[in-house]
Structure formats: structure tokens, C-alpha cells
Amino acid sequence: MRISYRDVKAEILNRIRSNTWPLGTNLPGEIELAKEFGCARATMNRAMRDLVDDGILERKRKAGTKVKQSPVRQAQFSISIVREEVEQAGSVYSYSLIERELIPAPAWLRERIKVAKDAPILHLKCMHYSGKNPYQFEDRWINLDVVPAAREFDFEDVGPNEWLIQQIPFSTGELVFSATNAPESIARFLKAPVDTALFSVERTTWLEDKSVTYAQLYFARDHKMTTYI
Amino acid sequence: MRISYRDVKAEILNRIRSNTWPLGTNLPGEIELAKEFGCARATMNRAMRDLVDDGILERKRKAGTKVKQSPVRQAQFSISIVREEVEQAGSVYSYSLIERELIPAPAWLRERIKVAKDAPILHLKCMHYSGKNPYQFEDRWINLDVVPAAREFDFEDVGPNEWLIQQIPFSTGELVFSATNAPESIARFLKAPVDTALFSVERTTWLEDKSVTYAQLYFARDHKMTTYI
């Protein structure tokens, strides 16, 4: 019976699972293994390549192939446009501005983003909806030194998230995930009881050494953010 | 006066910020720009390379250089070992097992991870501490078909997170972030009032087409998870 590369993969995985080949084990060479498994070398090669692609095995130039240890993976994260998030979920997006004010940056914000003490900063509060349901409450600060055009923009019809992404690039972003018991001022807009656990993301972006914007986003109750690694 | 590549970078960023060069703009060629800026071509090249590395500009083989549009970034996410998280924060890690049971997988779990209807699954509840403070409550399910060695392991001294990472590789992982109002059964271990908003991560991992494990992790109140993009 001809042994397929799928059989070979399954047997390699069996040996890893059963601890015959614990994590970090250096595997025998391809030729030797093909002999042991009774398969063609090309079959062994295909199976091992597949397992390298899957992140199970790892190839070192001189050291041969080994079973990979404590994997660190990349997750795709975008500074996403909330409109697209909602629309991709098959729902109708809408937006409304709650408040827009030009004020001197408060001290806690000046510790977080670099702005001059008396420089006015643009503060916006807005709501994003998915169909008729609240989707996200956005509390946004924009550094007018870096984004002077925001001073003239009214944000009545287009939200700061969408506007900024089309307006200005960023070089570094920080994302902070946490949970917050909804205060009354936010619960009201998200139509949730006070103290409901809300999933929250703080986003700070920089353009080189200058802070562009800081936003705290509160998602409606039961929101889940999924990513794959 | 000799123009430095830093001056050139600053001027390019100015033009982007002021919308002279909006996102997506194709820039003139390097030679032409160097002439306009009155700098050496090598200086312009260095400035542009830097801005490409920073994710502000983007080079297309034939189309030249343009101002990058709606950036999607990679964030590093590991299936981290909770011990290392705590120790890296400069604290002393400790662990305790709350409960260990071998039971048939409940229906909701069978919808999430592929296990046979009457196959026993290992269910563990444990606590992780940072110094004297609760750090994380772990509710863990292990597929014994894939990880048979877990059946014999008592998990009294080593937690499933640490043990699994040393034991078995995975090919895909799903991470789901959300917020939960702490139920009494968890609040008690995290020393938080009932209904405190807890940041929670659900982690499911697969080895090829088999589910390895599903865990729901509840972090102590006010926990923040930070990542950079």
C-alpha cells in the first residue's frame, strides 16, 4: 500500500502527542525518516513542509528539523473603521455626534499624550449603531497641533474614527484592552443597566514622536472581539 | 546649511499632515524630490527609507513611493505562560488547583470543540496569584483524545497552561476578548465584589483538525492587556 503524505503527517503528530517526540526534539533527517516510515522521500518532504507551514515543526538551516517550542504567533489587528466592522457583520451602520468641544487638555491626558499645557484639544463624544442597536460609545481626543484640519471639521455626519483614518497616517499605535463597569453617562447611550461589564479598548496613535489621538471605545454589552493566531 | 535626513523627514510629515500630500498620494521620484528639497539624493533616500520602515510611506516596485493608506498592523500575541506574565511584572507567581474532574463533555463545549459524545474530558479550575493578589481565574477543558498524558497528571503543582505549553504544540489558536460581570463563584476567588467587570479571554487551540483545549480566563479587576501595532 502506498503511504500518503497525510498518513505521514498523522504519524508525526501522533509521535508528538504521545511524547515520543516531545517539544524541542530534533528529528532524524528526511532520508532516514522516509526509510523508517517506508515512504518516498518526496512524501516525507511534503509532510514535513506542511507541518512547518502549520507551525508544528521548525526548520533550522544547519540543525535540521525540530518540533517547535512555545509558539509566539502574529495576530492581525487593524485600527479598524467601525462602519466596516458593522457592515461586515451584515448590519446597517449609523453614527451620531453627542458632543464636540475645544478645551485645554486635562492633566491626565497630558500625561498620556504629549500636548502643550494650554494648547486646545478637540474632545468628541459619539455613538455608533448597528441597525437600531447601540454598538460603540467613542470618547475621543484629537491633537490639533498634529491634525489642524480637525478644528474646522464638524464631525456631524462622519465620525472621528473614519475621518482620521482617511486623513492622517500613524507610525505606532497602542491598544489597551480592559473591562469597565458602565457609568451612568455611558450606560444610557449603550442602553445597558448601570454597572454592566463593558469591553473597552483604549487606542493611542503617534505619528513619529507626536501624539495624533487618544480614544476610549466602549462596546455594547456582550461584545466579543475575536482574533486568530 | 546642510539639510539632514531628519529635516527632510519632518518636511515630508508636514506635507502629509497638512494634506498637501493626502493619504494615497504618489510621491515624485527621489531625484526630483531631492532637487526640490535642495538635499543630496542619499539624504532623500535615507529619509524615505525611514518613513517606509515607520509604516508612513509605502514602496511599490514599479509605481514608486506613496503615502500609505489605512494601515493594517501586526500585533504580537502569544499563548503566554501566566507565570512569565506575573514574573515579568516583577512579582512572585503562585498557583493553586481548585477543582479537577473527569466528566463527559457538556453539550455547549461539544459545539465549540470537537469531542465524541461520551468521551470523558478533563475539567480544571485553578487560580493564579501575583504576590498575595489574585491574578487570574482559569476554567480549563482538555481533550484527552489529543492529550492523553493529562489523564495521569494531577495539576497540583503545575497549572494546565504551563504544562500544556511544554507538552503539546498547536497549529491554530482562537482568542476571544470580552467583559463579564463576575458571578459569585468567580468573584470569591478574585476577591472582587459580585458583578465587578472582569476582562476575560477565551482561548481555543487546535492541532491540525483536532481540538486540544478550551480555556476561559478571568483576570482580576482593573486588569489591562496592552499591545502595540
Side-chain angles (χ1 to χ4, degrees):
Chain A
M1 197 193 85
R2 209 169 137 273
I3 294 173
S4 77
Y5 82 93
R6 279 199 191 78
D7 301 331
V8 173
K9 275 181 73 173
E11 174 57 20
I12 294 175
L13 288 168
N14 266 337
R15 292 187 184 190
I16 295 170
R17 276 205 296 274
S18 63
N19 248 329
T20 310
W21 288 343
L23 298 194
T25 302
N26 286 304
L27 299 192
E30 216 170 83
I31 302 177
E32 197 181 330
L33 271 182
K35 209 184 226 170
E36 190 201 325
F37 280 53
C39 71
R41 184 178 174 181
T43 308
M44 181 55 70
N45 181 273
R46 167 82 195 270
M48 286 171 85
R49 262 191 298 126
D50 256 40
L51 290 168
V52 168
D53 288 346
D54 293 346
I56 307 293
L57 300 180
E58 150 176 67
R59 246 172 200 159
K60 302 260 164 162
R61 203 171 309 191
K62 290 210 168 141
T65 305
K66 54 189 267 180
V67 183
K68 207 169 170 178
Q69 209 135 20
S70 41
V72 173
R73 305 299 179 81
Q74 300 284 346
Q76 195 88 261
F77 265 99
S78 52
I79 294 285
S80 48
I81 301 184
V82 60
R83 169 195 295 279
E84 290 174 1
E85 263 174 62
V86 168
E87 288 176 351
Q88 271 158 24
S91 198
V92 176
Y93 171 79
S94 62
Y95 159 83
S96 84
L97 178 66
I98 300 167
E99 200 183 315
R100 181 191 192 282
E101 52 175 4
L102 256 174
I103 52 170
W108 66 265
L109 185 67
R110 276 186 281 117
E111 282 183 23
R112 176 172 285 276
I113 73 175
K114 252 177 20 193
V115 283
K117 195 162 177 211
D118 298 311
I121 191 157
L122 187 63
H123 182 209
L124 301 160
K125 290 182 186 170
C126 10
M127 269 302 297
H128 304 276
Y129 295 88
S130 169
K132 293 192 168 164
N133 301 317
Y135 180 78
Q136 185 194 89
F137 179 95
E138 176 178 359
D139 193 345
R140 163 83 62 177
W141 303 81
I142 300 175
N143 186 353
L144 295 174
D145 265 358
V146 179
V147 200
R151 190 189 279 263
E152 313 304 328
F153 197 80
D154 67 13
F155 296 100
E156 286 289 345
D157 301 315
V158 176
N161 161 251
E162 196 163 356
W163 184 82
L164 279 166
I165 265 183
Q166 281 155 10
Q167 195 70 16
I168 192 152
F170 71 96
S171 40
T172 321
E174 184 196 67
L175 300 176
V176 179
F177 304 109
S178 63
T180 309
N181 284 106
E184 200 284 325
S185 57
I186 293 175
R188 164 159 68 107
F189 290 104
L190 291 176
K191 292 187 190 139
V194 168
D195 281 345
T196 301
L198 302 179
F199 174 61
S200 164
V201 179
E202 289 165 86
R203 230 148 59 173
T204 313
T205 55
W206 291 268
L207 178 57
E208 301 291 308
D209 60 341
K210 291 180 199 290
S211 306
V212 178
T213 182
Y214 166 72
Q216 183 138 21
L217 314 172
Y218 300 89
F219 288 86
R221 65 190 303 180
D222 300 326
H223 183 80
K224 287 170 186 285
M225 190 183 93
T226 302
T227 186
Y228 294 90
I229 56 174
Chain B
M1 197 192 85
R2 209 170 136 273
I3 294 173
S4 76
Y5 80 93
R6 279 200 192 79
D7 301 330
V8 172
K9 276 180 73 173
E11 174 57 21
I12 293 175
L13 288 168
N14 267 337
R15 292 188 184 189
I16 295 171
R17 276 204 298 273
S18 62
N19 249 328
T20 311
W21 289 342
L23 297 194
T25 303
N26 287 306
L27 300 192
E30 216 170 83
I31 302 177
E32 196 181 328
L33 271 182
K35 208 184 228 171
E36 190 199 325
F37 280 54
C39 70
R41 183 177 175 184
T43 307
M44 181 54 71
N45 182 273
R46 167 79 194 271
M48 287 172 85
R49 263 191 300 125
D50 255 40
L51 290 168
V52 168
D53 289 346
D54 293 345
I56 306 294
L57 299 181
E58 154 176 63
R59 242 171 204 159
K60 302 259 165 164
R61 205 170 310 191
K62 289 211 172 143
T65 305
K66 56 190 265 183
V67 183
K68 207 168 172 176
Q69 209 135 19
S70 42
V72 172
R73 304 301 178 82
Q74 299 286 344
Q76 194 87 263
F77 266 99
S78 51
I79 294 285
S80 49
I81 301 184
V82 60
R83 169 195 295 282
E84 290 174 0
E85 263 174 62
V86 169
E87 288 176 351
Q88 271 159 24
S91 198
V92 176
Y93 170 78
S94 62
Y95 159 82
S96 84
L97 178 66
I98 299 168
E99 200 181 315
R100 181 190 191 282
E101 53 176 1
L102 256 174
I103 53 170
W108 65 265
L109 185 66
R110 274 186 284 120
E111 280 184 25
R112 173 172 285 276
I113 73 175
K114 249 176 25 192
V115 283
K117 194 163 178 212
D118 298 312
I121 191 158
L122 187 64
H123 182 210
L124 303 160
K125 291 183 186 168
C126 10
M127 270 300 299
H128 303 275
Y129 295 88
S130 168
K132 294 192 169 166
N133 301 316
Y135 180 78
Q136 185 193 89
F137 179 95
E138 177 177 358
D139 193 346
R140 163 83 61 176
W141 303 81
I142 301 175
N143 186 354
L144 295 173
D145 265 359
V146 179
V147 199
R151 190 189 277 264
E152 312 304 329
F153 197 79
D154 66 13
F155 295 100
E156 286 290 346
D157 301 316
V158 176
N161 160 252
E162 195 162 356
W163 184 81
L164 279 166
I165 266 184
Q166 281 153 12
Q167 196 71 17
I168 193 152
F170 70 96
S171 41
T172 322
E174 183 196 68
L175 300 177
V176 180
F177 304 109
S178 63
T180 309
N181 284 104
E184 200 284 327
S185 58
I186 292 174
R188 159 161 70 108
F189 289 104
L190 292 176
K191 291 183 189 140
V194 168
D195 282 344
T196 302
L198 303 179
F199 174 61
S200 164
V201 179
E202 288 166 87
R203 227 144 64 172
T204 314
T205 55
W206 292 268
L207 177 57
E208 301 292 308
D209 60 341
K210 289 180 200 290
S211 306
V212 177
T213 183
Y214 166 72
Q216 183 139 21
L217 313 172
Y218 300 89
F219 288 86
R221 64 190 302 180
D222 299 327
H223 183 81
K224 287 171 186 285
M225 191 182 90
T226 302
T227 187
Y228 294 90
I229 55 174

